[in-house]
Amino acid sequence: MNGNSKVKALPASFYDDFLSDQAKEWLFSPIRGLFPLEKTPGIISLLAGKPAPSTFPFTSLSFTAKDPTNETSETTITIPQDQLAPGLQYSDTTGLPELLGWVTGLQERVHGRKHGRNGVGEGVEGWRVSIGSGSQDLIYKAVAAMVSPGDPVLVESPVYAGVIPMFKHLHCKQIEVPTDAHGIRSESLREKLENWPQGQRRPKVLYTVPYGCNPTGMTATLERKKEVLRLARKYNFIILEDDPYYYLYYGKTVRPPSYFSLEATEPFGEEGDGSDAVGRVLRFDTFSKILSAGLRIGFATGPEALLNRIDLFTANSNLQVSSLTQLITFHLLQSWGYDNFLLHTRKVSEFYRKKRDVFEKALERWLGSGEATSEGRLAEWNAPVSGMFFWFVFKLLIDPTATEEEDSRTLIETHAFANGVLALPGTVFEPNGSKTPYVRASFSLLEERDVEEAMKRLRKTVLEVRKARKQARTKNKRLGTSMM
Ligand SMILES: Cc1ncc(COP(=O)(O)O)c(C=O)c1O
């Protein structure tokens, strides 16, 4: 337990029950396991098969980057030979120490959680950071480390399509927890957990994307998050907080805290039996949406015991993330400092806010009440306050007695495509493949002109489908009468 802080952390042994069957069998890499000892002062290491740096052709590296304080200026960052060396060599499984230190400091600052040891090992509140090849890499490893074949898992629904194959491959029972514009519907989650079938394995994890969710665009409110956290404590599960759109928040109100932040500030001692301690959140961040998706750098933040298993997976699979991309990222971030990094993220979020506005204006005009006066609204949606996705449903029903819209797949793949526009049919985000009338549209790349044109084409599609249905119904009715 940590001595320096008031925050209590769950002990390492707590996580024994959270490890998957396979993770318990992963072996330490005999070489990487001894790596840290090389750093002992005075040691002469004959350990690793590291190539001799003098044979590497690279001598220095320079790149230019935008200056967050001045739109029109660029800064040249040069990494001289001596500082380039760590980027050219094998490095720690967990991540390049310099970058780990920087990212740990960022988590302390942004989420108000204390580490206190500059990124080295377990911090005073029981957490640390590991770097991965994007957050996808870390999520996959976390799932493999925690979930055994056949386990039930709680997944928000609709869910990021990138995790569905992971759970399917493990033959997990994906328990869908419905979401709405405010996040996970916590009362539904509570009901499921309260009425869990007797004698059946209980879920160890809940997967959620709380900011600008992919695909629904929803951002979870503070109240919902508190409720979910309370349930995690009561029913003993870990929240997998996948948060790539955290820095893309452009809502007007104060942003809700992350689960990682909240677990340390929500009143302690609620249960008085240890369930109040921190360590129930495993958080995933990424630089993909704010620096570059091609860097492939993400970071997991959470309990040391879980990160140790993730690192074990890394040591056995890809050894580590590229030292060079970590070094480049570190030099960029170090040259900016935390303030300018955060300034940069605010500029990025402002960029997406403007894109959101353009998209919504066109959506309203062509599929909302703007042009659609005689036909009524052709689509419904909630505007996102973070991220890059709109989640909407087309109003295809003309029959006032019908209650359910049908699946959007044919509408998108056949009719919309024929009219020269594409989006993602919502069914790909349904954990168990249910049909859904919803559609995900990404607004990150399009210019205003293309957005307008896309909306016009969608409008044409909806009107055509409506017309075809009306004709089919009239024909059916006529046939019905003539047969009488
Ligand atoms: C919800 C979610 N999680 C994870 C990822 C993977 O991101 P990364 O580039 O960090 O691997 C994405 C990418 O779009 C995403 O939307």
Side-chain angles (χ1 to χ4, degrees):
M1 202 94 37
N2 41 81
N4 298 351
S5 161
K6 279 193 278 173
V7 175
K8 277 192 291 171
L10 290 160
S13 59
F14 171 81
Y15 299 96
D16 291 350
D17 290 342
F18 284 86
L19 297 183
S20 65
D21 297 340
Q22 60 157 337
K24 286 180 191 153
E25 289 182 8
W26 289 339
L27 298 175
F28 285 96
S29 148
I31 304 170
R32 291 214 150 224
L34 289 175
F35 254 19
L37 297 184
E38 277 193 324
K39 291 181 186 159
T40 313
I43 208 82
I44 299 174
S45 177
L46 310 175
L47 193 68
K50 288 181 183 167
S54 58
T55 62
F56 299 156
F58 302 97
T59 49
S60 77
L61 187 72
S62 280
F63 59 94
T64 51
K66 289 180 192 162
D67 177 353
T69 61
N70 182 350
E71 301 263 288
T72 55
S73 104
E74 279 184 351
T75 322
T76 300
I77 296 167
T78 300
I79 311 176
Q81 193 164 20
D82 58 325
Q83 291 176 40
L84 185 61
L88 300 178
Q89 191 52 277
Y90 289 116
S91 181
D92 296 357
T93 308
T94 323
L96 199 71
E98 297 92 319
L99 184 63
L100 271 179
W102 200 93
V103 164
T104 304
L106 179 72
Q107 299 302 63
E108 289 188 306
R109 193 176 161 132
V110 169
H111 302 284
R113 293 290 305 272
K114 197 161 164 48
H115 182 273
R117 293 184 182 140
N118 199 27
V120 182
E122 185 180 2
V124 295
E125 289 180 6
W127 62 273
R128 69 169 177 84
V129 175
S130 273
I131 311 276
S133 298
S135 50
Q136 185 79 17
D137 174 43
L138 293 161
I139 295 163
Y140 180 75
K141 287 170 179 168
V143 167
M146 298 177 73
V147 178
S148 300
D151 276 352
V153 287
L154 297 164
V155 287
E156 66 184 10
S157 177
V159 70
Y160 167 50
V163 296
I164 298 176
M166 298 181 197
F167 295 130
K168 284 225 167 116
H169 162 77
L170 289 168
H171 301 286
C172 287
K173 191 155 188 226
Q174 296 184 73
I175 312 296
E176 299 185 25
V177 188
T179 55
D180 61 21
H182 308 290
I184 284 183
R185 288 189 27 211
S186 42
E187 83 287 357
S188 166
L189 176 60
R190 177 181 292 281
E191 202 184 297
K192 282 184 201 309
L193 293 164
E194 271 171 6
N195 300 309
W196 201 263
Q198 281 268 320
Q200 284 201 11
R201 264 187 274 180
R202 299 192 70 99
K204 292 192 285 188
V205 296
L206 163 75
Y207 172 85
T208 181
V209 182
Y211 268 94
C213 179
N214 181 358
T216 60
M218 67 83 180
T219 293
T221 61
L222 176 60
E223 290 67 32
R224 290 283 182 85
K225 280 183 165 171
K226 280 187 181 173
E227 187 62 14
V228 170
L229 194 56
R230 233 174 264 140
L231 292 170
R233 285 173 177 161
K234 184 163 178 191
Y235 292 101
N236 202 24
F237 59 85
I238 305 276
I239 300 170
L240 301 180
E241 177 177 42
D242 181 14
D243 217 354
Y245 307 101
Y246 179 82
Y247 290 103
L248 269 50
Y249 177 70
Y250 39 76
K252 285 199 181 113
T253 52
V254 178
R255 62 153 67 242
S258 64
Y259 281 110
F260 180 59
S261 170
L262 202 56
E263 70 161 344
T265 53
E266 263 304 270
F268 299 124
E270 188 186 338
E271 311 280 342
D273 59 359
S275 58
D276 54 331
V278 297
R280 291 192 179 276
V281 180
L282 183 52
R283 182 180 162 79
F284 302 92
D285 284 274
T286 180
F287 286 137
S288 287
K289 320 292 174 180
I290 41 179
L291 296 184
S292 147
L295 278 177
R296 305 308 302 132
I297 294 189
F299 41 107
T301 309
E304 158 99 344
L306 295 179
L307 289 187
N308 284 346
R309 291 292 147 168
I310 292 175
D311 287 352
L312 210 49
F313 193 149
T314 301
N316 283 293
S317 55
N318 54 329
L319 301 183
Q320 57 162 102
V321 177
S322 154
S323 306
L324 192 56
T325 51
Q326 290 188 76
L327 191 75
I328 292 170
T329 307
F330 168 69
H331 277 268
L332 174 75
L333 294 171
Q334 191 196 35
S335 79
W336 280 358
Y338 292 119
D339 284 343
N340 282 344
F341 168 74
L342 294 173
L343 177 64
H344 169 73
T345 63
R346 284 197 294 278
K347 289 189 165 178
V348 176
S349 73
E350 180 56 13
F351 171 90
Y352 285 108
R353 186 199 54 79
K354 286 188 188 147
K355 289 259 179 212
R356 189 270 320 255
D357 289 349
V358 165
F359 194 91
E360 194 179 17
K361 211 171 104 202
L363 196 52
E364 186 61 49
R365 177 146 162 226
W366 295 104
L367 294 154
S369 50
E371 297 277 323
T373 42
S374 57
E375 297 89 0
R377 291 183 76 83
L378 304 187
E380 295 290 347
W381 63 87
N382 288 306
V385 291
S386 185
M388 48 180 78
F389 304 112
F390 261 91
W391 181 244
F392 53 87
V393 60
F394 295 112
K395 311 304 287 176
L396 294 174
L397 296 174
I398 327 131
D399 177 357
T401 57
T403 50
E404 269 189 33
E405 295 282 353
E406 65 190 50
D407 190 51
S408 58
R409 192 184 273 277
T410 314
L411 178 91
I412 293 298
E413 291 180 358
T414 310
H415 303 291
F417 182 61
N419 281 328
V421 58
L422 265 183
L424 261 178
T427 183
V428 306
F429 303 101
E430 292 293 331
N432 296 302
S434 327
K435 292 183 185 314
T436 170
Y438 279 87
V439 170
R440 189 198 78 174
S442 168
F443 56 84
S444 52
L445 296 177
L446 296 191
E447 295 302 333
E448 188 161 357
R449 211 166 25 113
D450 293 331
V451 174
E452 281 285 316
E453 186 55 34
M455 293 303 121
K456 260 194 236 175
R457 293 179 186 184
L458 282 177
R459 175 184 166 79
K460 181 168 180 260
T461 307
V462 175
L463 291 177
E464 277 172 10
V465 172
R466 275 187 174 193
K467 192 171 165 196
R469 284 179 174 196
K470 207 170 180 178
Q471 282 169 347
R473 211 180 24 248
T474 318
K475 194 171 158 201
N476 284 346
K477 259 195 203 154
R478 239 189 278 127
L479 276 177
T481 342
S482 64
M483 303 234 317
M484 270 200 264

